[in-house]
Amino acid sequence: SAQCDVATQPLPPPLPVNIAVEKIEPNALRFTWSMPDDSEINVCSVCEITWREISQEEDEGFDQDMTKAARDLEQEDKEKWNAKEIPVSEESGEFRSRIMGLMANTKYAVQVRGRNGGG
């Protein structure tokens, strides 16, 4: 029988852990996180940070589960999200970023995720 060579996609990278706000400034947010080293199967190639303003109406409609709220917002209004990518080097595991240009006294939804060829 004929031979068939196939290349499979990697698994999506694991979720970031230890996400913590380092400093809240009037127009910026500094935070840190870690990406678990999940062997060579689903290595993260880039960290993506997305954020958007939460309106007062949206805020009043959410309960205490802001993680679910951020996911719901992401599905509804993709064009409202800002994005920033941070390349991942082989030796990195701890990350730090700063989002600038925010408005004072405003709530934001912020997401951090790893990406690779699998998602």
Side-chain angles (χ1 to χ4, degrees), residues 94-108:
E94 302 292 319
F95 296 90
R96 169 177 279 121
S97 185
R98 184 175 185 207
I99 299 172
M100 299 183 344
L102 304 178
M103 293 184 293
N105 301 314
T106 304
K107 282 192 177 184
Y108 289 87

Side-chain angles (χ1 to χ4, degrees), residues 51-53 55 58 70-82:
W51 69 96
R52 79 180 279 274
E53 181 181 338
S55 71
E58 290 169 328
R71 278 193 218 116
D72 290 347
L73 287 171
E74 180 183 32
Q75 296 304 314
E76 293 173 9
D77 297 315
K78 292 187 183 236
E79 70 277 354
K80 290 185 179 178
W81 289 84
N82 299 288

Side-chain angles (χ1 to χ4, degrees), residues 7-10 14 19-21 35 38 46-47 53 55 57-59 76 79 83 93-94 113 118:
T8 60
Q9 291 288 325
I19 300 172
V21 173
M35 290 301 294
D38 226 9
V46 68
C47 287
E53 181 181 338
S55 71
E57 295 81 27
E58 290 169 328
D59 187 36
E76 293 173 9
E79 70 277 354
E94 302 292 319
R113 72 177 123 220

Side-chain angles (χ1 to χ4, degrees), residues 13-110:
L15 296 173
V17 295
N18 304 323
I19 300 172
V21 173
E22 192 173 59
K23 186 174 184 182
I24 298 174
E25 302 169 16
N27 300 102
L29 172 68
R30 287 195 285 176
F31 56 101
T32 60
W33 72 95
S34 301
M35 290 301 294
D37 181 13
D38 226 9
S39 74
E40 295 179 9
I41 297 173
N42 53 349
V43 174
C44 179
S45 58
V46 68
C47 287
E48 179 184 61
I49 302 163
T50 54
W51 69 96
R52 79 180 279 274
E53 181 181 338
I54 297 177
S55 71
Q56 185 173 355
E57 295 81 27
E58 290 169 328
D59 187 36
E60 290 170 358
F62 296 140
D63 55 15
Q64 296 299 319
D65 188 0
M66 286 307 291
T67 302
K68 181 183 180 311
R71 278 193 218 116
D72 290 347
L73 287 171
E74 180 183 32
Q75 296 304 314
E76 293 173 9
D77 297 315
K78 292 187 183 236
E79 70 277 354
K80 290 185 179 178
W81 289 84
N82 299 288
K84 173 179 181 174
E85 291 185 348
I86 299 175
V88 175
S89 63
E90 289 185 30
E91 62 275 351
S92 62
E94 302 292 319
F95 296 90
R96 169 177 279 121
S97 185
R98 184 175 185 207
I99 299 172
M100 299 183 344
L102 304 178
M103 293 184 293
N105 301 314
T106 304
K107 282 192 177 184
Y108 289 87
V110 178

